[in-house]
Amino acid sequence: MWLFDVETLRFLDVNHAATAHYGYSRDEFLSMTINDIRPAEDGPAIAKLVRKNAETARFYRNSFSHLKKDGSLIRVSIESNLIDFNGKKARIVLATDITKRVETEHELELSEQRFRALVQEGSDLIVILDDRLHYTYVSPTSERILGIPASEIAGRHVFDFIHEDDRLRLLAEADRLKQVQQIKFSPFRFKNSKGEWRWLETRATNLSSKQAVGGIVCNSKDITDSIASQKALLENIERFNIVSKATSDIIWDYNLKTGKILWNKGVKGILAHSPEDYITTLTWWEEHIHEDDRDRVIARFREHLDKRILRWQDEYRFYCGDGKVRHIFDRGFISLDNGVPVRMIGAMQDITRRKEEEHWSRLLETVVINTTDGVMITDAGLDDPPRIIYVNDALVQMSGYTREELIGSPADIFHGQNTGQKGVQEINDAVREKRACNVELLNYTRAGVPFHVSITISPVTNANGAVTHWTSIQRDISEQIRYLNAVKAQNEKLREIAWLQSHGVRAPLVRIMALVDLLGHEEVTPEMESLLKYLSDSAKELDHIVTSVTRHTSSEWLSDEDLPDALASPSDDPA
């Protein structure tokens, strides 16, 4: 139920039943007009109708087509009155969904049409007999099938047209209608307008208790042309019709009367078995079902036969003649004779590859879900920037966004305002050129906290080579970047120490060595000469030590070219 403004056609209020049935929230309804829940082509007529009803102010009732939020079309019965709502002219509307009723009425009409077509234009002769076996109704098809107008048969006894050699047998068979409601007569001969005997096949249903019928309904068809080969023909038609309902890999035909199964060549080509004349017993099939599946499959198979459930299907593992175990999808259709299963025809399909692919898919899904790297999948981004369709838990945790916030967002949501990074342009180029790439970027969490990531994107293509999706593996390398910066700081300290050693310490030492060398050329006492020699040797030894320390200090720092390798396998804290 709802209220709408007759001037603007906007909803003024709706009840809970309307929101529940149509799928819109109350706020969504109040932002819409009544035309928004109708097919577009109804809009002009609806506006005109509302204006007319507003002028007459009469109670209005009719039925219309409405659209739910999910796009489904329903048929509703509308009852409305004009009221005053807060000073506005409005109509209060009671809407009742009559879709099922309309569909039921339509189906009933079609059913009646089909019935008339079957009776008046069908290929069968339909008659009704009273309890004395006189015709009370004969379908118009009698003239086409037998050449006798229905009016010439009505009121007469069935034996006026049935061969005398068939009468006693038919009477005995008809006596069964006292115990069962429906029987199928064995074929009998019926005289047509030319005096020829035509073979008829007839199914009789006792509807004497039904007031609308009040007799035995018989459906007959002329089988004269096929009676000579009836058994073989019926078996072939039956087999073809049943097999067409199943798949077409390993075809089997189970005869319940003999307990034998006839196989096609698939039993040898796919299952690697070579039964004699392609015939096995049902027990043979049961014994080759994997022991972990056997009881379940046999129980369901027998249940379908016992309960006359015509269509059976199951999946199980099967031991093949080459020692392999294959996964099988098996389907069968049960054929009944007077309600009793007599044959079951079906097909076994080898689904081993599908099962293996499903297994690997589950494994890969587990890897994606549990990996510590962020995983993102986007659409192809053919017209717009690629948009996110999947993220794993690691990326949700890494970014601080919820999964709901990320799904449907553009893939560059993590770059924040820092879209001028070189890596961003490399990604855009790779998407445009439909190739994979690997870059390092500075991304931002939902809270705006920066973090470094190494991103690898790869295109996913279909069978025609067209890109349908993009995958992105994102690894947080913030810790490695911090380590790299620490290593760079350590290198700078080592360079300063090396400079101090090679310049700050060694310069005074060189001056001492020069002074000693100068004094060595002067006349000195033996005691002074010994002291100068000792001083010279000590200075040279100290010079050697400073040179060695400088050389070892220089080897301790890493060049900028070597830093990536050190980053890949950091060992000790450089601080």
Side-chain angles (χ1 to χ4, degrees), residues 396-434:
V396 170
Q397 184 176 2
M398 186 188 304
S399 67
Y401 289 94
T402 66
R403 181 172 279 102
E404 291 73 21
E405 290 173 325
L406 293 176
I407 300 301
S409 298
D412 60 4
I413 187 174
F414 306 111
H415 307 333
Q417 300 299 319
N418 194 5
T419 57
Q421 302 178 69
K422 178 183 177 182
V424 173
Q425 185 57 47
E426 289 183 27
I427 289 178
N428 292 337
D429 292 342
V431 171
R432 185 176 62 257
E433 298 168 9
K434 301 177 181 179

Side-chain angles (χ1 to χ4, degrees), residues 60 84 126 154 185 217 374 416 429 545 566:
Y60 180 76
D84 182 275
I126 301 176
F185 288 103
V217 179
D429 292 342
I545 291 172

